[in-house]
Amino acid sequence: MKLIIEDDEGRKTVVQLVRDEITIGRQDGNTIRLTERNVSRRHARLVKENGNVLIEDLGSYNGVRVNGEKITGRTRIKEGDLVEIGDYDLGIQGKIDAPAMTPAVGSPRPPTIPPGAVKAARPATFPPQHVTSPALAIQEPMEKTVPRADKPAPPIMTPNPSAGGATAIIRVSDINKAAPQVEVRDLERSQMPRLVGLAGPFRGKELYLMRTEVKFGRTDENDIVADHQSVSRAHARFVLDEGQWKVIDNESANGVRVNGDAYAISSLKPGDVVELGHLKFRFCGPGEKFSPPPEKGEDGAQKSGLKPTTAELIAAAQGRQASAPAAKKPGAAKIAAIAIAVVAVSGAATFFATRSRKPARPEDATGEDAVKAADALFKQHKYLAAMEMYEKAGNSPAPNRKKAAEEAQGEEAYNSLRGAVAADDGDKARSLFDRCAADSTYWCRQAQEQGDQVRSAYAKKHLAAASAFKSAGKLDGCLTEASNVLAFDAANVQAQALQSECRPKETAKAEAAREEGAAPKERETKAARLAQSSSNKLVGRDFAGAVKDAQAALARTPKDKNTLMLAYRSLGYGYAYLNDKDNAVKWLEKYLPYCSNDCDQVHTFIGK
């Protein structure tokens, strides 16, 4: 029997269950260490008992869930059950080995599972259906096979190009697949709602939703960062969908609640109480005035219901507690009382003046408050907004100001690039893309993920120009435009066709004569390079790019078996993930004669 552990980046580890008892937790000494912060030091225990596997919560902070339900005692689990511990998904495969053997002294150290980053999307099924038992994922070619169970589960699933042979833990979330996808844009101040903390470390804090999509989680990749043990790395997102704000749970460990009820997706209206993990906020509409009510003490009385006495103010200023009031003394005591009152009034004035320095609105901050606001924006990668706040800080020390200025240039380039793509200005988009390629700022790194959109915008403009030149009989202009596209996107099939059609006849004849000699070898080399590129893009989950490169490789009619294997595999897997089952089956059938350690999974997918 095996235990499959998948982290929130989709990486899997397979552990043989050879002991009768296994402990899971964050600290050394556990059989299995899971190092994420939302895993407790001693979180859970797996026990083999009477032919069954039982899981038990060891009093962890975030609990253990089996098939979405938090357990309260020992719970039997079986093959196909989904166990959630923090940001990790676990499942068992196979039957209990008999007899169970205890590993000898000197056996390998228990596995430590590193923390992931972003909760990975689950593979889709064809057709979409609820899957209750794990199925085997198609492996990468030439990768070591992980032993499988005697009876793999039958449900059809999309191949996983990077699973490495481990059993996939499947959670089909039709709700999340239907979650709204919105164009991310900045909002005007008058359009921004906000979250106001109601309790705990975020009580009284105001978190503005500054864009149409705002990510909330524990790590710096989020727009709003809440470094709290109950919050997952990528916990939730808030989106403005057709004028309606919604909160979407990113399959977090502790979920999202609205007015006390758990939701995967919920619309929000002003006044709703939103719980993200163990943090509680009130959703306030744009411009809505709200301050959290005073907290209550253990006896039910409001903590801030009574004003501090003069003695308490003075004692607080001196770092001690006020003593019980003594009996009145005439004469000198009265003078002393007057003196104390003067000091107290002065101290109170200073106290309340200091408190009043905090601006009611973030945009009104100056000095140190502006630096703090800017640093918070800097942490959220909102460098342009951070620079505005640093400007308001004046000469106040701001260590991040210089770095923010550099990063703001990258953010400005990224925003301009997205605008150019949206406006179909391919030349500007390419220029900004090339500029960002040599820049290491955060937003320029993000800009590289827009490569396909930039290439598409650039090709659209220049292919239209090439076609116009061709129609006008201006073959030189057609050839120039097609060559411009190929210089930026060598795999563009339409540009390749135009380049061939627009060559002058003499050049075409000379080219044909030249290709009779060295062309086959050159074509084979280019095909092999494109096939390898398609395989790399498949593993990197760039499925459209993998399909494009594989098609370009096959267009060169390669003969090499490894080139054909990589191209067929990329097309089969790529189309499967692009939800084009007909093409996926077509190319996976061609891949079957070349498959090695993933043949069973390919057979299952295509239904043979």
Side-chain angles (χ1 to χ4, degrees):
M1 172 172 281
K2 307 180 188 74
L3 177 68
I4 297 93
I5 305 166
E6 180 179 347
D7 68 11
D8 57 1
E9 287 187 331
R11 297 175 299 198
K12 297 180 182 69
T13 300
V14 179
V15 180
Q16 296 288 340
L17 293 180
V18 295
R19 299 188 182 185
D20 290 332
E21 180 177 311
I22 289 175
T23 59
I24 301 172
R26 198 173 73 242
Q27 72 178 10
D28 288 328
N30 289 288
T31 315
I32 296 174
R33 283 189 66 212
L34 305 178
T35 57
E36 267 289 9
R37 279 190 58 193
N38 55 12
V39 177
S40 296
R41 290 180 177 84
R42 282 179 54 80
H43 199 111
R45 174 166 48 219
L46 283 172
V47 180
K48 294 180 184 178
E49 190 175 282
N50 298 327
N52 297 319
V53 177
L54 308 176
I55 190 165
E56 176 185 8
D57 185 359
L58 299 178
S60 64
Y61 184 78
N62 289 318
V64 176
R65 294 179 184 270
V66 175
N67 297 326
E69 297 292 329
K70 184 174 284 190
I71 65 174
T72 56
R74 279 193 172 192
T75 301
R76 177 176 173 265
I77 59 173
K78 60 186 182 301
E79 189 172 23
D81 286 339
L82 174 66
V83 179
E84 296 173 85
I85 294 179
D87 285 342
Y88 297 89
D89 293 343
L90 297 85
I92 59 172
Q93 178 194 16
K95 298 179 180 179
I96 295 180
D97 301 324
M101 300 296 292
T102 303
V105 176
S107 59
R109 181 177 177 177
T112 297
I113 313 302
V118 174
K119 195 77 172 175
R122 305 295 180 191
T125 58
F126 290 106
Q129 57 184 333
H130 181 69
V131 181
T132 56
S133 60
L136 296 181
I138 295 181
Q139 304 157 340
E140 296 183 38
M142 307 306 291
E143 196 166 355
K144 182 179 179 180
T145 304
V146 176
R148 301 189 296 270
D150 295 333
K151 297 180 180 180
I156 299 172
M157 60 167 285
T158 302
N160 186 338
S162 58
T167 297
I169 301 173
I170 307 302
R171 181 190 298 159
V172 180
S173 179
D174 292 330
I175 294 177
N176 276 347
K177 283 192 287 185
Q181 302 295 326
V182 300
E183 179 184 355
V184 180
R185 57 181 175 82
D186 292 334
L187 297 174
E188 299 293 335
R189 174 64 65 179
S190 60
Q191 299 175 314
M192 296 179 189
R194 69 191 194 281
L195 302 174
V196 180
L198 296 178
F202 281 79
R203 173 176 167 74
K205 292 188 177 181
E206 296 185 342
L207 309 175
Y208 280 81
L209 306 184
M210 298 182 177
R211 296 184 175 187
T212 52
E213 179 176 336
V214 176
K215 298 174 183 177
F216 181 99
R218 202 176 66 245
T219 58
D220 290 344
E221 289 78 16
N222 295 282
D223 301 304
I224 297 177
V225 179
D227 190 10
H228 191 268
Q229 188 176 15
S230 68
V231 176
S232 295
R233 299 171 69 88
H235 196 103
R237 58 191 178 99
F238 294 84
V239 298
L240 179 58
D241 180 35
E242 297 181 353
Q244 174 67 58
W245 279 98
K246 297 178 181 179
V247 60
I248 302 168
D249 183 9
N250 286 339
E251 300 183 14
S252 59
N254 289 310
V256 173
R257 291 181 177 271
V258 178
N259 299 325
D261 295 321
Y263 289 96
I265 302 176
S266 176
S267 297
L268 296 174
K269 62 182 185 299
D272 283 343
V273 175
V274 182
E275 295 177 65
L276 304 163
H278 298 166
L279 301 180
K280 187 179 291 188
F281 301 89
R282 185 187 191 273
F283 180 78
C284 298
E288 180 185 356
K289 295 182 179 180
F290 173 78
S291 295
E295 290 187 284
K296 294 184 177 181
E298 295 180 359
D299 58 355
Q302 291 184 347
K303 291 183 179 179
S304 57
L306 296 176
K307 295 182 180 179
T309 65
T310 299
E312 288 171 338
L313 284 171
I314 297 172
Q318 295 176 351
R320 58 180 177 81
Q321 290 186 343
S323 58
K328 291 184 178 179
K329 293 184 180 181
K334 189 176 293 186
I335 297 172
I338 294 172
I340 289 173
V342 172
V343 173
V345 170
S346 175
T350 303
F351 173 75
F352 288 110
T354 302
R355 289 190 60 181
S356 65
R357 287 177 189 165
K358 187 173 181 179
R361 299 183 303 168
E363 64 268 25
D364 295 335
T366 58
E368 293 182 2
D369 290 330
V371 172
K372 290 179 181 178
D375 287 344
L377 291 166
F378 180 91
K379 191 174 183 181
Q380 297 170 27
H381 307 299
K382 298 175 181 177
Y383 303 110
L384 289 170
M387 283 306 299
E388 291 182 8
M389 297 307 297
Y390 284 132
E391 290 298 325
K392 294 180 180 181
N395 295 325
S396 297
N400 291 327
R401 189 195 301 257
K402 183 178 180 181
K403 178 65 174 175
E406 298 172 359
E407 294 285 353
Q409 294 179 6
E411 184 179 0
E412 189 172 16
Y414 175 82
N415 292 339
S416 298
L417 184 149
R418 285 178 61 91
V421 169
D424 285 333
D425 189 346
D427 289 332
K428 182 178 180 181
R430 179 184 176 180
S431 175
L432 291 164
F433 183 80
D434 290 342
R435 167 189 157 188
C436 268
D439 197 327
S440 61
T441 57
Y442 173 84
W443 284 107
C444 270
R445 294 198 304 272
Q446 304 305 307
Q448 298 309 302
E449 298 177 4
Q450 304 290 318
D452 286 341
Q453 293 92 320
V454 174
R455 280 186 282 270
S456 176
Y458 185 81
K460 181 179 179 180
K461 176 179 179 179
H462 288 273
L463 289 175
S467 296
F469 278 126
K470 179 185 174 186
S471 299
K474 299 179 180 179
L475 297 184
D476 288 344
C478 172
L479 186 60
T480 298
E481 294 293 345
S483 298
N484 286 339
V485 174
L486 291 173
F488 189 39
D489 182 8
N492 191 292
V493 177
Q494 190 177 353
Q496 291 172 356
L498 279 170
Q499 188 183 53
S500 176
E501 294 169 4
C502 294
R503 279 199 187 108
K505 292 182 179 179
E506 294 78 7
T507 305
K509 289 179 180 178
E511 183 73 14
R514 185 183 65 81
E515 288 182 356
E516 288 179 1
K521 183 177 180 180
E522 183 180 348
R523 286 200 304 269
E524 197 73 48
T525 300
K526 289 182 178 179
R529 186 165 61 247
L530 284 165
Q532 184 60 55
S533 173
S534 74
S535 182
N536 294 340
K537 288 182 178 179
L538 184 70
V539 174
R541 309 188 73 82
D542 178 7
F543 304 119
V547 167
K548 182 189 294 185
D549 283 357
Q551 289 173 335
L554 293 178
R556 287 165 170 77
T557 60
K559 305 296 182 183
D560 181 74
K561 290 184 178 180
N562 188 62
T563 300
L564 291 170
M565 181 273 292
L566 290 175
Y568 292 152
R569 180 175 179 273
S570 294
L571 286 165
Y573 285 23
Y575 278 123
Y577 272 95
L578 293 171
N579 293 329
D580 185 346
K581 186 179 180 182
D582 291 340
N583 271 317
V585 171
K586 169 187 170 181
W587 291 107
L588 285 174
E589 286 177 340
K590 292 180 179 291
Y591 170 64
L592 266 178
Y594 301 93
C595 68
S596 54
N597 57 346
D598 56 350
C599 299
D600 291 345
Q601 291 80 4
V602 176
H603 279 294
T604 300
F605 181 78
I606 65 179
K608 289 188 176 182

